[in-house]
Amino acid sequence: MQHLKHCQGLAQVFLIRSQSSRLSKSSIPSLSVWDGHLSSRWRSTGSHGRQKYFNDRLPKFRFALAGLLAGTGAVLAYKLQQGKWAATSAKLPVTQTSTLPVYTLEEVTKHCSLDNGVWVTYKGDVYDITEFVAMHPGGDKILLAAGGALEPYWALYAVHQQDHVLEILSEYKIGVLNPESYKKQESANPLDPYSAEPTRHPALQINSLKPFNAEPPASLLSDNYITPSVVFFKRNHLPVPRLDPETYRLEIEGLPGGVVSLSLSELKSRFPKHTITATLQCAGNRRSEMNKVKQVKGLNWGIAAIGNATWSGARLRDVLLYYGFGPETAAKAKHVQFEGLDRDVTGTAYGASIPLNKAVSEEGDVLLAYEMNGEDVPPDHGYPVRVLVPGVVGARSVKWLGKIVVSNEESKSHWQQNDYKGFSPGTDWDTVDFKSAPAIQELPIQSAITHPAEGTSVDLSDKEVTVKGYAWSGGGREVVRVDVSIDGGKTWHVARLCTSDKGQHPAPPPPPGRAWSWKLWEIDIPIPHKAQELEIVCKAVDSSYNTQPDTVAPIWNLRGVLSNAWHRVKVKVSE
Amino acid sequence: MQHLKHCQGLAQVFLIRSQSSRLSKSSIPSLSVWDGHLSSRWRSTGSHGRQKYFNDRLPKFRFALAGLLAGTGAVLAYKLQQGKWAATSAKLPVTQTSTLPVYTLEEVTKHCSLDNGVWVTYKGDVYDITEFVAMHPGGDKILLAAGGALEPYWALYAVHQQDHVLEILSEYKIGVLNPESYKKQESANPLDPYSAEPTRHPALQINSLKPFNAEPPASLLSDNYITPSVVFFKRNHLPVPRLDPETYRLEIEGLPGGVVSLSLSELKSRFPKHTITATLQCAGNRRSEMNKVKQVKGLNWGIAAIGNATWSGARLRDVLLYYGFGPETAAKAKHVQFEGLDRDVTGTAYGASIPLNKAVSEEGDVLLAYEMNGEDVPPDHGYPVRVLVPGVVGARSVKWLGKIVVSNEESKSHWQQNDYKGFSPGTDWDTVDFKSAPAIQELPIQSAITHPAEGTSVDLSDKEVTVKGYAWSGGGREVVRVDVSIDGGKTWHVARLCTSDKGQHPAPPPPPGRAWSWKLWEIDIPIPHKAQELEIVCKAVDSSYNTQPDTVAPIWNLRGVLSNAWHRVKVKVSE
């Protein structure tokens, strides 16, 4: 079930094409190039020749299958082990439909395995994609559609519905469905799983529409110590489930008393309501800076996949203790798993886990949150209940929470096992072993400049440039200092740290190890008389005195996560 | 009492002089320069003129008084706010003794304050150091000797006994003691407080003899996963106290039942013996790399002020709970303070504190250790009992433990308040505010190369270069990866991590957040055919995915602590 998310690998075909002009020669060739080349071979060799071609070539290609499951941001990039094929954007010839046979749905259905061949249908046409299975960036997840329609799957990951993907598909066309079959199939197709998505704020900059992934303009971030929910970054892996608070149930497994089923009103009435202010950050925040070094797989987030909010709900600790968690369970459990109620067409839910100690310790402050910023958690953020794991990568704060499992094992979810992990810059899709790296939990120290914006101008007559930004660290480590430079890092100034909006009381200092909130910061720095350009840089330091690395390239990793090098913004000085 | 350690500021006069050829023009002028200049003024203006000169000049000087208390590594450096005085090494004229008056001890004793003048004696001579008090790098701590002999104080900080310091002193000579007074004083002088220091291993590289500070050759470090006690770095702030295990008592204050006094045998018999393996690192480890950027104050440690040992003893948690620690105390306490039995001449003990939660949580693993590597804790490491605070800077693992205080306050000790804190590279001794930075507790991610050594050669015919080192992170964050480069950081390889010596069983994986031990690492990297020089670089990543900064300059700080940039070693390639 896990590999379902592979399908999302196709999401970034368009991204690759649109960015290709920016890619260096050493970048991964995009599918468009590769496919164009292959198609010209196939045309002359026919189906058998194609198969042979693959059999010969397969060991020489290394398909970027692993790790492509990571949501809509996954980039469909086939790494070529050998050969340097020139970049072309050759248009694929359209196969003549009239000469192709007509099939019934029954005939298609028989071709539902690699042994019998893998046929699929799309809009009344029939495709034999047997050869493509091994190349599918989403792995053999594609077999879910074997012997049937692609539509339900592509509806889930709308990124498939792009010209380029259709071009690939057209290569495999072998016939058409007869009209009755097509009609029957059409009527069975499910509704668009994204038809019930909530309305979103127009200011959001959309990275992916289905599933919805968007961040606010960076300049908005430092306007509010508490990020308004409507512009808080949205990072959905699947369609937003619309859940009825009356029928909502949260299941808890792995405790001595057996499975617990808890209603929303029970959750609210049975346990004290706790409120914490905590920052959530996507593992991919600032991925766009890594993409500039070398193409990575994932949504091209700017610096605003981070936000700070108040969260209210029951403490996970209280709930687990109430239902029997004690030394007996602690002795055999190491993790607490979470499962969302957002599911793909196979029923696979989004899932994640956190270490047991974080879940049950008083200092962990993990909530089963039903309020965000004083109101019901909005649909995009997990209504009616989400986990809120402060100090930890956003991916573990599972939304639309359906199940909690106290276990000796980490979540088996793709997002825990084969995504959201960090690797060396020397590790590529040929050599990566996801088992070799721990799942990201606590995030490293982070900061970024929200004002001024890259490429803008500052006026020399102002004498000073005001620089603003945010800083945060994982694991409850408080940000203790932000250094700012306007000469690219040669000299440094210490910024003022803010824990409230102007005119508001500053937040009280957090207990050690429980600093869950970011700090906004601000500084006015004199503009040197002869400066024509300023390279503004920031770096933060946390209570463990960890600091950010100077540059992006040495922390580059194939999934583009953990991008926390010094943030740099260049502005012109105008007179 | 706190400023006693200021006296140690004189320790590095010699260091500055010997290093002056390496200092750039922007470096802090050393006392030798400054003093030579002043003395030539004084000679022509007489005592009154000297006083006036100071009164006029004082606001323009900023004396580097703060933060000089930090042990023998403190550098005597007077920062000049204005003026650029040429570097000279003018020899000071020797004052003619024969023309000076003879004083009795009683006369000297009357001059024991700034109001009455500050006189001191040294080897039978009398000095009026009233004017020098304001310039003493150790602050008014010098007044402890007012009206009496310098010898007892200089005995404590042997660094005063250098030609250069004597030259400064000679400027203030006003007479001689009469023979009876000198004889009387001599007989009253205490013995050398360092006369009972333990024997040390000859391999140790000594940074300061009194107090004793030394590190092993770096190449020894990676030979043993458990560092042998004899070559484990020694970092003493004061003379080693020789304590009798029969009469030793540990006092505990701040618990409901009042003051507890615990004997060594009670500590051993009353509480379960726990053993942990933990790395200790000095805050100043790798300070020498910061010194190369710009002079800092502190012992010039290489990369070996770090070691890994097994420690056995009672859990601090168990002891505190046994003597009544509970919610009542927890509600009003935030820190646990430790006081050593190593004391200076005023009776001020070395001291430090840690956050309460670290002290009392089961996961904190704080020990009252009476064994190191399976034997009694050696005298240099705190015999008979030291605190062992794993994951935290060595300075908090107080040796020769005499007292524990559960308190709402941090330790008032100099080493907690005005030392062992990190600052921005833009902060200098004019602008530093020690209250603005938190006391270092958890240390940031660290790694260094122990083999090959800087400046050595590797043989091209070997085809590969073997690189070895250590990596560790504070806060119990496990080292999850070490990246090694031999081209200065352009390309990276992932090293093998070792948690044992060869042929030994690897240590079992630690629970999350309790990885107290370093990892040794090793890698063989092919030598490029045409390479003439290799720039070997390492950087580590911990379980929170924090990583080391690329370069030293942006983390430079005036005390030279927290030096954890990529470690770089250049070696030649010979054919």
Side-chain angles (χ1 to χ4, degrees), chain A residues 278-294:
Chain A
T279 296
L280 281 186
Q281 183 184 214
C282 177
N285 190 32
R286 301 182 57 197
R287 179 179 284 131
S288 52
E289 293 160 65
M290 284 199 176
N291 263 329
K292 286 176 190 165
V293 173
K294 196 167 79 173

Side-chain angles (χ1 to χ4, degrees), chain B residues 17-86:
Chain B
R17 297 192 97 191
S18 64
Q19 289 186 339
S20 60
S21 61
R22 283 204 276 130
L23 297 179
S24 70
K25 282 188 180 172
S26 63
S27 297
I28 299 165
S30 76
L31 182 58
S32 59
V33 176
W34 170 85
D35 183 68
H37 180 88
L38 277 193
S39 64
S40 64
R41 291 285 299 246
W42 294 352
R43 218 133 304 283
S44 59
T45 54
S47 178
H48 175 74
R50 256 182 274 177
Q51 189 66 54
K52 186 175 180 305
Y53 182 88
F54 271 107
N55 291 343
D56 293 349
R57 285 276 172 155
L58 268 170
K60 296 182 181 173
F61 302 136
R62 296 295 293 267
F63 301 123
L65 299 181
L68 275 170
L69 322 182
T72 56
V75 173
L76 176 61
Y78 286 15
K79 170 98 170 60
L80 298 176
Q81 187 82 334
Q82 295 179 337
K84 293 178 182 173
W85 297 339

Side-chain angles (χ1 to χ4, degrees), chain A residues 363 422-426 438 440 442-445 477 480-481 483 492 494 539 544-546 549-551 554 562 566, chain B residues 357 363 422-426 438 440 442-445 477 480-481 483 492 494 539 544-546 549-551 554 562 566:
Chain A
E363 295 76 25
F423 294 96
S424 170
I440 300 172
E442 296 181 359
L443 284 172
I445 178 75
R477 292 179 286 277
V480 300
R481 200 180 78 233
D483 295 330
W492 296 91
V494 179
K539 64 181 171 82
S544 73
Y545 282 100
N546 271 301
D550 310 18
T551 57
L562 305 158
W566 299 355
Chain B
N357 192 50
E363 295 77 25
F423 293 95
S424 169
I440 301 171
E442 296 180 358
L443 284 172
I445 178 76
R477 292 179 286 277
V480 299
R481 200 181 77 233
D483 294 331
W492 297 92
V494 179
K539 64 180 172 83
S544 71
Y545 282 101
N546 272 301
D550 309 19
T551 57
L562 305 158
W566 299 356

Side-chain angles (χ1 to χ4, degrees), chain B residues 182 472 482:
Chain B
Y182 185 39
W472 179 74
V482 174

Side-chain angles (χ1 to χ4, degrees), chain B residues 450-526:
Chain B
T450 55
H451 176 86
E454 174 77 25
T456 55
S457 290
V458 296
D459 202 325
L460 189 57
S461 65
D462 289 341
K463 299 207 168 121
E464 288 185 333
V465 54
T466 298
V467 186
K468 297 182 190 181
Y470 65 76
W472 179 74
S473 189
R477 292 179 286 277
E478 188 176 5
V479 169
V480 299
R481 200 181 77 233
V482 174
D483 294 331
V484 182
S485 170
I486 59 168
D487 56 11
K490 289 187 199 75
T491 60
W492 297 92
H493 311 260
V494 179
R496 295 184 297 282
L497 303 180
C498 322
T499 57
S500 68
D501 293 321
K502 269 176 191 148
Q504 303 290 308
H505 282 292
R514 292 164 85 175
W516 311 126
S517 291
W518 68 11
K519 292 194 179 170
L520 299 180
W521 54 264
E522 197 171 327
I523 186 170
D524 305 308
I525 304 178

Side-chain angles (χ1 to χ4, degrees), chain A residues 242-249 263-265 268 376 383-384:
Chain A
R242 287 301 182 129
L243 304 170
D244 179 352
E246 296 303 318
T247 59
Y248 170 82
R249 290 292 180 280
S263 74
L264 182 60
S265 63
K268 288 183 175 182
D376 286 349
Y383 182 84

Side-chain angles (χ1 to χ4, degrees), chain B residues 213-353:
Chain B
N213 286 279
E215 64 188 303
S219 60
L220 284 189
L221 276 190
S222 48
D223 286 351
N224 301 286
Y225 181 66
I226 302 295
T227 313
S229 303
V230 289
V231 292
F232 200 101
F233 80 98
K234 324 286 178 202
R235 201 285 177 246
N236 299 341
H237 295 82
L238 293 161
V240 174
R242 287 301 183 128
L243 304 170
D244 178 353
E246 296 303 317
T247 59
Y248 169 82
R249 290 291 179 281
L250 170 61
E251 286 194 357
I252 308 175
E253 292 180 13
L255 294 175
V259 177
V260 173
S261 177
L262 196 59
S263 73
L264 182 59
S265 63
E266 284 167 339
L267 182 71
K268 289 183 174 181
S269 62
R270 202 167 280 173
F271 305 98
K273 178 174 163 181
H274 283 270
T275 299
I276 61 168
T277 306
T279 296
L280 281 187
Q281 183 184 213
C282 177
N285 190 32
R286 299 181 61 197
R287 179 179 285 130
S288 52
E289 292 160 67
M290 284 199 175
N291 263 329
K292 286 176 189 163
V293 173
K294 196 167 78 171
Q295 185 74 48
V296 297
K297 297 187 201 309
L299 289 167
N300 201 37
W301 293 108
I303 65 165
I306 187 170
N308 192 47
T310 63
W311 308 91
S312 302
R315 269 190 186 158
L316 175 58
R317 165 192 166 82
D318 293 346
V319 174
L320 295 180
L321 289 173
Y322 184 91
Y323 291 111
F325 179 87
E328 192 194 330
T329 312
K332 54 189 179 184
K334 288 183 183 163
H335 305 272
V336 176
Q337 306 175 359
F338 308 115
E339 215 179 271
L341 291 164
D342 48 338
R343 292 169 185 280
D344 65 24
V345 282
T346 70
T348 303
Y350 181 81
S353 62

Side-chain angles (χ1 to χ4, degrees), chain A residues 325-346:
Chain A
F325 178 88
E328 193 194 330
T329 312
K332 54 190 179 184
K334 288 184 184 164
H335 305 272
V336 176
Q337 306 175 359
F338 307 115
E339 215 179 271
L341 291 165
D342 48 337
R343 291 168 186 281
D344 66 21
V345 282
T346 70

